[in-house]
Amino acid sequence: MTNARVNNQQRFLTSSSACPICGGYERTRRGNGERCAGYMSSDGEYAHCTRDEYAGAIEPTDASPPTYPHKMHGPCTCGVNHRPARPSQNRKPDRRVEKEYPYYDEEGNLLFKVIRYDPKDFRPCHAQNGRWIFSMEGVRHVLYRLPDLRKADPAHTVYLSPSEKDVDNLRKLGLVSTCNCGGDQNWRDEYSASLKGRDVVLLPHNDLSGKKWAADVTRSLQGSAKSVRTVHLPGLGDHGDVSDWIATGGAREELEKLASPPKRRFTYASEVQEQEIEWLWKGRIARGCFALAVGDAGVGKGLSTIKMIGAITKGKGLPGEVDRPPAGVILMSPEESASRTLVPRLKAADADLEKVLLLTMVDELDPTTGETYQRPMSFPEDVHILREAMEDAGAVLVVIDPILSLLSGKVDAYKNHAVRQALMQLMSTAEQYNCAVLGIIHTIKTPHPNVLFRSSSSSAFIEMARTALFFVPDPDGEAGQSGVIVNYKNNLVKHAASERYAIHENEKHIGYITWKGESSRTRDELLNPHSPAPAESRTSEKEDGLMAVLKGSEQAMTVEEIHKLLDTKQSLDALTKMLQRKVEQGTLIRPERGKFTYSGNPSYADTPNPTEEPQSDIQNVQCPMSNSETPLAQLDMPLHDVQSTNGHKVTSEGALKQLDILDIGHSDMVKISPSTAYDGPYPPENRLTLCHQAGWHWNGERYVCNVCYPLEVAV
């Protein structure tokens, strides 16, 4: 509060309105040390004296000049009872006021105060019509010593504690400190704005409510404070606080050292010790890694994982594996009843129930009532509970069925970044404890052409998994009662074989499975049973007609000869491209330049395709000519610019003719004009190097260049 907001009736101006604390007043002669420029609060409860020799333990306000607010009724912080305490119907007669903590707004205006009583009790109150009302209704909540917080250097760390006493003791050490009103049960998100951009260190009380307060404040300050760290002070007893720590000799330097973030340490590859992959099921589930099981509802995912659990807990080898020592497994399946479904299925799978830890609900202590209640597990918040369970069970496998059911409600399952952040903590835990984590997820209703996008929700699930197992119906088994596990994704080793299984029921109608060996089908056949044949295995009518024409002739044929025999409207250019493509696929061969026949033609059994010369981009080519060659400028022939359809640069026909190219792949051919031809005699004289070296042939009307005709050239 600044003096400019105080009226003259409140000021200690003359001897008739002198300060009740020091007896001074504003118009006292200066230089004697007796002057007081203070004032009385509007409610008459506090006398703001400006003389610090009377202040005792009172902290100065941010007024100019600073004032020391003395409580006029009852015990004052300065150590003197200035006037008798006011009678109060709400105050118990056997308790006394121990301390008052005033709360000011940003401008220094008193909003309310918290009274600390002995025996220990706290009562907030605010002034209204000259009286103190023990209620906070309609009163703005702010942090303790807010003006001091705003005045402090933003680069200084703010120490946040649940009590005013801690704040005052920390300030005595010269630290910036504040707290919320009401202790560790009453943090409000609105306080976060006052700590925006600040480095904040939390000093919770050493009890359960203190830990909860620290967690609540940390979440609240995320995105607001620059950084938030929690310091658990060493040597504190139960319910101890930073005031106790200071009272036993704790110093500022030690506290700042504890609060300083540890120096970040980086890992170099040379420091990492290699580890071989340890498989629970070779090629499918690896210890220390995250695996994903994907499949439609009812295809047998759950029963198959129960079968795996049974084998692991009894030390029996999975298909293709040898027996190994029995080990523990954690099963997290919140959608299934433990008594009606999970345990009966585990028994049917011959699992060792003493090695299966069912983890879905966890016990939690309500700090307000002290009562224990159960709540569902949630990731990533409860990763620490999973760690405890891994240690307790000696687990080598954690099954989460389905994984979406245990994802925190704060994580958007359809956003890759959010899912990755959650899974990273789960994967880190799996690696730390060398425990495999198998998440189960359903497929989308409409199958995606890309198998990796068939899992529901974010694609991050399958992207983060090191191996992915797809559960599909077995085309060679009984419909609805069999399936196949297809290892479609594998980032660790080559893909494992597809394993078949059959679904059965025991006399109690409890489902279980038996392994049926490897499937002879390909992964594509199993995952896309209703899709048409791959493009490379399908043929069109034009291609069928082409093969019929070629197989009807013992000799290789030119493009023109083939085109005449084909009963289609296909252009010569399109036919040439198709022939070249078939050569590249190995369906056709080109035993002679410009001639084609089918692969396997007995007439050309020992004739390979001509070797393709490497192709290169040609841009503004300037080739040296021999003395016998005629310079381009002297040729009676126009130059023509041509543009390639495959991205090559523009050049000229004349420049192209100088290149010593004997054979050019059709994928690099484009039309040019005019044609390179002449009417005889053969061989021509004074022709360009390319045509002369490539040779000529009679097309029935005239001689044409073997390379340039039919009007195509590489660029």
Side-chain angles (χ1 to χ4, degrees):
M1 179 181 291
T2 62
N3 289 349
R5 296 178 178 271
V6 180
N7 60 50
N8 286 337
Q9 292 180 342
Q10 294 174 252
R11 295 180 185 278
F12 306 139
L13 294 177
T14 65
S15 58
S16 62
S17 59
C19 173
I21 306 302
C22 67
Y25 50 92
E26 192 168 348
R27 293 175 184 171
T28 301
R29 181 178 299 177
R30 295 175 181 271
N32 295 330
E34 297 176 354
R35 183 172 178 270
C36 180
Y39 57 92
M40 184 67 72
S41 65
S42 59
D43 58 7
E45 291 294 319
Y46 287 85
H48 287 255
C49 179
T50 59
R51 293 171 64 177
D52 58 2
E53 65 265 35
Y54 291 89
I58 300 176
E59 295 287 342
T61 66
D62 291 326
S64 180
T67 65
Y68 298 86
H70 292 255
K71 187 175 183 297
M72 295 304 300
H73 300 275
C76 177
T77 307
C78 72
V80 178
N81 284 5
H82 302 293
R83 294 176 186 174
R86 295 182 185 276
S88 173
Q89 296 179 349
N90 297 325
R91 190 178 67 190
K92 296 180 181 180
D94 58 343
R95 67 178 180 178
R96 66 179 182 85
V97 175
E98 185 177 280
K99 185 91 172 180
E100 292 187 354
Y101 303 105
Y103 280 73
Y104 299 93
D105 65 13
E106 295 85 347
E107 302 298 329
N109 299 311
L110 181 65
L111 297 176
F112 61 92
K113 64 182 179 181
V114 174
I115 303 175
R116 179 187 178 106
Y117 294 97
D118 183 23
K120 188 176 180 180
D121 189 20
F122 296 88
R123 295 286 304 279
C125 58
H126 70 281
Q128 182 176 319
N129 300 325
R131 297 182 57 196
W132 286 101
I133 307 300
F134 287 87
S135 168
M136 291 295 287
E137 183 176 356
V139 180
R140 180 189 170 202
H141 290 255
V142 296
L143 292 175
Y144 184 48
R145 294 190 173 276
L146 180 59
D148 297 333
L149 175 63
R150 290 170 58 85
K151 185 179 178 181
D153 187 341
H156 290 174
T157 299
V158 178
Y159 291 83
L160 191 60
S161 171
S163 77
E164 295 88 353
K165 180 185 70 171
D166 293 342
V167 173
D168 290 345
N169 287 327
L170 288 166
R171 282 178 55 81
K172 291 177 182 178
L173 296 179
L175 299 170
V176 180
S177 183
T178 188
C179 72
N180 59 278
C181 172
D184 51 20
Q185 304 291 323
N186 292 285
W187 175 264
R188 293 168 172 253
D189 288 336
E190 62 202 65
Y191 297 141
S192 300
S194 299
L195 296 168
K196 185 175 180 62
R198 307 296 292 264
D199 291 306
V200 180
V201 170
L202 307 183
L203 299 171
H205 293 172
N206 189 31
D207 50 34
L208 186 59
S209 59
K211 293 179 181 178
K212 185 178 184 301
W213 170 84
D216 292 341
V217 175
T218 299
R219 281 193 292 267
S220 179
L221 292 179
Q222 292 299 324
S224 179
K226 181 180 178 181
S227 66
V228 184
R229 299 188 298 277
T230 299
V231 173
H232 298 284
L233 297 169
L236 286 183
D238 292 341
H239 308 290
D241 53 35
V242 66
S243 295
D244 299 329
W245 185 79
I246 293 173
T248 57
R252 171 177 175 169
E253 294 74 15
E254 185 180 358
L255 181 57
E256 288 180 327
K257 184 177 180 181
L258 291 170
S260 298
K263 184 180 183 301
R264 195 179 301 277
R265 187 184 182 281
F266 300 96
T267 302
Y268 290 87
S270 59
E271 301 175 290
V272 178
Q273 185 176 359
E274 291 185 51
Q275 290 185 348
E276 292 186 5
I277 299 175
E278 189 175 348
W279 294 97
L280 286 181
W281 192 6
K282 182 64 179 289
R284 300 173 181 88
I285 303 175
R287 293 184 63 175
C289 297
F290 173 56
L292 194 68
V294 186
D296 292 335
V299 77
K301 301 185 301 298
L303 290 177
S304 297
T305 53
I306 292 288
K307 179 72 171 180
M308 298 177 201
I309 292 173
I312 292 171
T313 57
K314 284 292 187 71
K316 298 177 181 178
L318 290 165
E321 299 284 315
V322 298
D323 292 350
R324 64 185 70 200
V329 175
I330 297 174
L331 176 57
M332 309 173 73
S333 185
E335 297 181 0
E336 299 287 0
S337 167
S339 59
R340 295 182 176 88
T341 305
L342 296 181
V343 171
R345 286 183 177 180
L346 288 167
K347 287 183 176 179
D350 194 31
D352 184 346
L353 301 184
E354 293 186 354
K355 294 188 179 297
V356 182
L357 190 156
L358 302 178
L359 181 61
T360 301
M361 306 293 288
V362 292
D363 292 334
E364 196 70 85
L365 180 65
D366 189 333
T368 57
T369 64
E371 297 181 355
T372 301
Y373 67 96
Q374 283 199 325
R375 64 168 179 82
M377 284 278 290
S378 177
F379 292 120
E381 294 89 348
D382 292 332
V383 166
H384 65 286
I385 298 177
L386 180 60
R387 295 192 191 105
E388 296 175 14
M390 287 178 175
E391 292 180 353
D392 192 74
V396 298
L397 173 66
V398 174
V399 176
I400 308 176
D401 181 16
I403 193 168
L404 284 178
S405 65
L406 294 179
L407 197 65
S408 170
K410 299 178 182 178
V411 178
D412 191 334
Y414 291 90
K415 290 186 177 180
N416 278 15
H417 178 71
V419 172
R420 285 178 180 275
Q421 291 295 315
L423 289 181
M424 280 299 294
Q425 297 190 44
L426 190 62
M427 293 173 67
S428 176
T429 299
E431 183 173 10
Q432 179 183 354
Y433 287 85
N434 195 30
C435 181
V437 175
L438 177 63
I440 298 179
I441 197 167
H442 297 299
T443 53
I444 55 178
K445 294 181 179 179
T446 304
H448 195 282
N450 188 333
V451 177
L452 296 180
F453 293 108
R454 292 183 185 176
S455 59
S456 59
S457 304
S458 167
S459 61
F461 285 104
I462 199 162
E463 291 166 359
M464 296 288 282
R466 299 301 83 197
T467 56
L469 307 177
F470 284 78
F471 289 71
V472 298
D474 186 359
D476 301 315
E478 184 180 353
Q481 301 298 319
S482 61
V484 185
I485 302 175
V486 184
N487 176 211
Y488 188 78
K489 179 189 177 183
N490 201 318
N491 290 107
L492 303 176
V493 293
K494 69 177 183 179
H495 293 89
S498 300
E499 188 69 28
R500 301 175 62 215
Y501 59 87
I503 303 174
H504 312 277
E505 279 189 358
N506 61 17
E507 65 280 0
K508 296 182 179 180
H509 304 291
I510 303 300
Y512 67 97
I513 72 161
T514 55
W515 304 117
K516 292 298 181 181
E518 295 181 4
S519 173
S520 60
R521 308 251 181 179
T522 66
R523 291 194 302 274
D524 187 65
E525 289 175 329
L526 293 169
L527 295 170
N528 303 291
H530 305 298
S531 65
E536 59 270 18
S537 66
R538 300 195 304 267
T539 58
S540 64
E541 292 182 5
K542 294 177 181 178
E543 292 170 322
D544 291 340
L546 170 64
M547 295 305 296
V549 168
L550 292 175
K551 290 184 177 181
S553 172
E554 294 182 358
Q555 301 300 315
M557 305 168 67
T558 65
V559 178
E560 293 81 4
E561 292 170 340
I562 298 170
H563 188 263
K564 289 180 181 179
L565 295 174
L566 277 175
D567 186 19
T568 69
K569 296 181 180 180
Q570 189 177 21
S571 68
L572 193 65
D573 182 63
L575 174 60
T576 306
K577 291 180 179 179
M578 185 171 70
L579 290 169
Q580 182 65 32
R581 187 174 64 252
K582 290 295 184 181
V583 170
E584 294 172 355
Q585 294 174 355
T587 307
L588 304 183
I589 61 172
R590 190 172 53 181
E592 302 176 31
R593 195 172 313 283
K595 292 188 176 184
F596 301 85
T597 187
Y598 62 94
S599 179
N601 187 338
S603 301
Y604 301 95
D606 300 324
T607 306
N609 279 323
T611 303
E612 298 289 342
E613 297 291 335
Q615 303 167 8
S616 61
D617 290 351
I618 306 170
Q619 37 187 325
N620 300 326
V621 182
Q622 296 180 356
C623 301
M625 297 183 295
S626 65
N627 294 332
S628 62
E629 293 176 331
T630 305
L632 287 173
Q634 300 177 17
L635 292 174
D636 184 18
M637 179 178 182
L639 299 181
H640 298 270
D641 288 337
V642 292
Q643 174 65 54
S644 170
T645 56
N646 61 5
H648 289 180
K649 300 297 182 180
V650 175
T651 186
S652 67
E653 179 184 3
L656 292 169
K657 293 292 185 166
Q658 294 188 73
L659 298 177
D660 187 13
I661 302 175
L662 298 183
D663 189 60
I664 302 168
H666 187 81
S667 59
D668 278 340
M669 305 295 275
V670 296
K671 297 277 187 177
I672 67 169
S673 179
S675 61
T676 303
Y678 91 115
D679 297 328
Y682 185 86
E685 297 178 358
N686 297 326
R687 300 303 292 179
L688 296 179
T689 304
L690 178 63
C691 298
H692 181 69
Q693 291 189 359
W696 302 80
H697 72 270
W698 182 255
N699 70 347
E701 298 178 0
R702 53 185 175 172
Y703 287 105
V704 294
C705 173
N706 286 338
V707 171
C708 300
Y709 186 83
L711 317 185
E712 293 176 333
V713 72
V715 290

